[in-house]
Amino acid sequence: MKHSPNSPILLTASLHVNEARKAIASLVSDLLQEATSLHAQNDIETVSLDQAINRILAQDLLSPIDVPSADNSAMDGYAFDGKCLSQDKTDVTLKIVGTALAGKPFGGKIGQGECLKIMTGALMPADCDTVIPQEFTTSSNEEIICFPSNQLRAGENRRLRGEDLQKGKAAIAAGRLLRPSDLGLAASLGVSSLQVHRKLKVAILSSGDELRSLGQPLDPSSIYDSNRYSLTGMLNRLNIEIIDCGIVRDNPDSLKEAFIDAASKADVLISSGGVSVGEADFTKQIMQELGDVGFWKIAMRPGRPMAFGTLKPIPGKSPARKTLFFGLPGNPVAVMVTFYQFVRSALLQLNGASVTELPLVQAISETAIRKKPGRTEFQRAILGRNAEGRPSVRLTGSQGAGILRSMSEANCFVILGHEQGNIAAGDLVDIALFDGLL
Ligand code: AMP
Ligand code: MG
């Protein structure tokens, strides 16, 4: 589906979660095609390996060397020339003429009937191509080893030069969200810095007259602004530069001013609150002046209302770029659910990541779950193991959209698909884990 935030269809009908996701991905892809896109060369920076974790690789990392750089032993054992092997059970007897350790090669020659005691990772001598593991050999004294000839074939237990990576080939593809293994891999190639996309700048603001900042006194009609903190936590995990625009009161002038300020500094603006029925008209009016934003009713629970689109480039902003805008619902759980469902993948895509989806796994539901077809539900749950030791989930108490405790106690979402109906105890359900999430 092509993105069209103001289309009447999106305004009136309930939008399937997947349609919303597609529309978002399509708009982000359009933004990336623009001349001043975030992926222009001047938005790429070089960082040292120790700073590269969770950054997104901007160019393929080409291996400057063969890995391994020479043939070496894959086992602790004895290296010899495999020509002496046959497929019968006759014993091969070899004389040990020296030792090679990792980092300490053997300098001499290995002739016919001879072998070299060799440790894993040690350089293979030029005249050997095979290693018999230590545990397959017998020995009557310290100078001789014996093993059945058909125990192995010539060439076994040797790691070949360039077997892992060949010089000039891509060791890590552009778009990789760099993990510890990638940093280790880069280091194994002697590469000390990587080209990554610069960190995204994301402005966050909370809207609502009832909101108070931490440290301010509460009266019965006010609540603390928690959304900015859960958003900050989720954005920090994604390694994003956060611009905190604070709390904005429910009045058109303050809201407009705050949006313009945020859009002048940030690549993306995420607001929470002010998009539900009753308040949306007010926000819509401002958005019409500032950009192209659709107000969506999404067939999901929690998190039904959401605004999404772009804000026009603010005069003076350089380069003249649009700002991607997410107007999330105000309910604290809905903020987190809509972030994980829609915002997270859009931010990763905008920042050049090739994999943007949340990983899903399945577990057995310990209890029955009531579910109406026609909307996607995100229930908070704890993944553990059942009596048979198999992965199983149970929901964390009350699932109201405002009950952040249900989220705090949970370690995963149970995701119940759009068409899905009631779940019986023992059914398999999809889950998305919180831990290990970025
Ligand atoms: P709204 O989407 O503005 O109608 O807000 C929905 C509910 O979420 C209301 O109960 C608000 O008080 C609450 N809410 C809105 N923003 C926040 C926030 N930043 N922190 C905590 N609760 C909020
Ligand atoms: Mg409000």
Side-chain angles (χ1 to χ4, degrees):
M1 195 184 80
K2 191 75 193 140
H3 163 75
S4 57
N6 287 325
S7 128
I9 297 168
L10 303 190
L11 283 173
T12 52
S14 253
L15 193 61
H16 192 301
V17 164
N18 291 342
E19 279 183 307
R21 293 168 62 81
K22 272 193 221 152
I24 293 169
S26 144
L27 177 67
V28 174
S29 156
D30 290 350
L31 285 181
L32 290 175
Q33 301 304 318
E34 292 190 2
T36 56
S37 134
L38 264 171
H39 291 183
Q41 191 60 34
N42 55 1
D43 281 309
I44 292 174
E45 55 192 38
T46 305
V47 292
S48 61
L49 277 192
D50 53 359
Q51 298 300 312
I53 191 73
N54 294 340
R55 299 295 295 270
I56 294 162
L57 191 67
Q59 286 164 4
D60 286 354
L61 173 66
L62 302 182
S63 179
I65 52 169
D66 283 329
V67 180
S69 56
D71 295 0
N72 66 71
S73 176
M75 302 291 259
D76 289 344
Y78 300 89
F80 61 97
D81 182 349
K83 277 206 250 354
C84 67
L85 296 171
S86 62
Q87 282 313 297
D88 56 41
K89 285 189 184 156
T90 53
D91 267 356
V92 177
T93 302
L94 299 172
K95 180 166 180 265
I96 307 167
V97 295
T99 304
L101 305 174
K104 288 213 176 82
F106 173 72
K109 288 235 163 248
I110 312 292
Q112 256 192 4
E114 294 179 338
C115 71
L116 175 71
K117 186 169 186 191
I118 195 164
M119 298 299 139
T120 307
L123 201 67
M124 287 288 279
D127 26 39
C128 294
D129 63 359
T130 309
V131 174
I132 175 82
Q134 163 106 48
E135 57 272 29
F136 296 142
T137 63
T138 52
S139 178
S140 49
N141 63 55
E142 295 208 339
E143 279 150 35
I144 298 277
I145 55 157
C146 244
F147 56 90
S149 186
N150 63 358
Q151 179 74 56
L152 79 171
R153 288 173 188 273
E156 275 185 30
N157 303 316
R158 169 186 54 160
R159 296 185 191 134
L160 289 173
R161 171 183 180 151
E163 182 179 289
D164 287 355
L165 279 172
Q166 281 167 306
K167 186 175 172 177
K169 291 265 168 67
I172 311 176
R176 172 73 53 81
L177 178 67
L178 294 165
R179 296 170 303 200
S181 53
D182 300 314
L183 307 187
L185 180 59
S188 75
L189 305 178
V191 171
S192 58
S193 60
L194 293 170
Q195 302 274 89
V196 298
H197 292 290
R198 76 154 165 82
K199 290 186 181 187
L200 281 183
K201 291 182 194 149
V202 176
I204 52 173
L205 64 83
S206 299
S207 81
D209 283 339
E210 75 282 27
L211 302 178
R212 297 290 176 271
S213 290
L214 301 185
Q216 290 182 330
L218 278 191
D219 59 53
S221 65
S222 58
I223 56 167
Y224 285 120
D225 170 13
S226 60
N227 289 346
R228 259 185 312 136
Y229 293 88
S230 41
L231 279 171
T232 299
M234 293 186 289
L235 291 168
N236 272 330
R237 275 188 169 183
L238 283 172
N239 222 346
I240 272 165
E241 202 176 309
I242 300 168
I243 303 167
D244 186 345
C245 297
I247 297 173
V248 182
R249 298 293 159 217
D250 286 326
N251 90 58
D253 292 339
S254 332
L255 211 52
K256 192 169 162 187
E257 196 184 316
F259 279 16
I260 290 175
D261 178 49
S264 69
K265 299 175 187 155
D267 304 306
V268 182
L269 167 60
I270 304 172
S271 71
S272 72
V275 290
S276 49
V277 184
E279 286 184 310
D281 288 344
F282 168 78
T283 320
K284 259 181 223 166
Q285 217 182 340
I286 301 165
M287 286 305 169
Q288 256 160 19
E289 294 171 44
L290 296 182
D292 180 14
V293 173
F295 285 75
W296 292 351
K297 278 190 245 160
I298 305 176
M300 68 189 283
R301 202 165 97 155
R304 216 159 104 83
M306 193 175 100
F308 169 71
T310 52
L311 306 182
K312 285 186 247 182
I314 303 298
K317 186 176 180 182
S318 172
R321 271 184 198 142
K322 290 175 186 162
T323 304
L324 191 65
F325 171 66
F326 289 91
L328 305 184
N331 270 316
V333 179
V335 165
M336 297 194 75
V337 169
T338 47
F339 183 92
Y340 283 133
Q341 273 309 297
F342 305 115
V343 185
R344 178 186 177 275
S345 41
L347 297 180
L348 286 168
Q349 187 189 353
L350 194 62
N351 210 194
S354 46
V355 176
T356 63
E357 297 305 304
L358 273 182
L360 289 185
V361 288
Q362 287 202 313
I364 298 164
S365 181
E366 285 179 23
T367 58
I369 307 174
R370 288 166 65 95
K371 160 73 171 59
K372 278 193 207 150
R375 68 182 182 209
T376 308
E377 289 193 11
F378 300 85
Q379 308 238 2
R380 279 73 71 200
I382 298 172
L383 175 71
R385 286 188 186 278
N386 65 11
E388 288 89 54
R390 299 186 53 205
S392 69
V393 276
R394 63 186 165 83
L395 302 185
T396 54
S398 174
Q399 297 285 317
I403 302 174
L404 204 47
R405 190 168 52 82
S406 68
M407 197 70 199
S408 170
E409 285 170 2
N411 63 13
C412 66
F413 287 123
V414 169
I415 303 183
L416 303 172
H418 190 88
E419 313 296 347
Q420 208 159 6
N422 290 335
I423 303 294
D427 283 356
L428 275 180
V429 286
D430 282 346
I431 61 172
L433 281 170
F434 297 163
D435 294 324
L437 251 195
L438 278 178

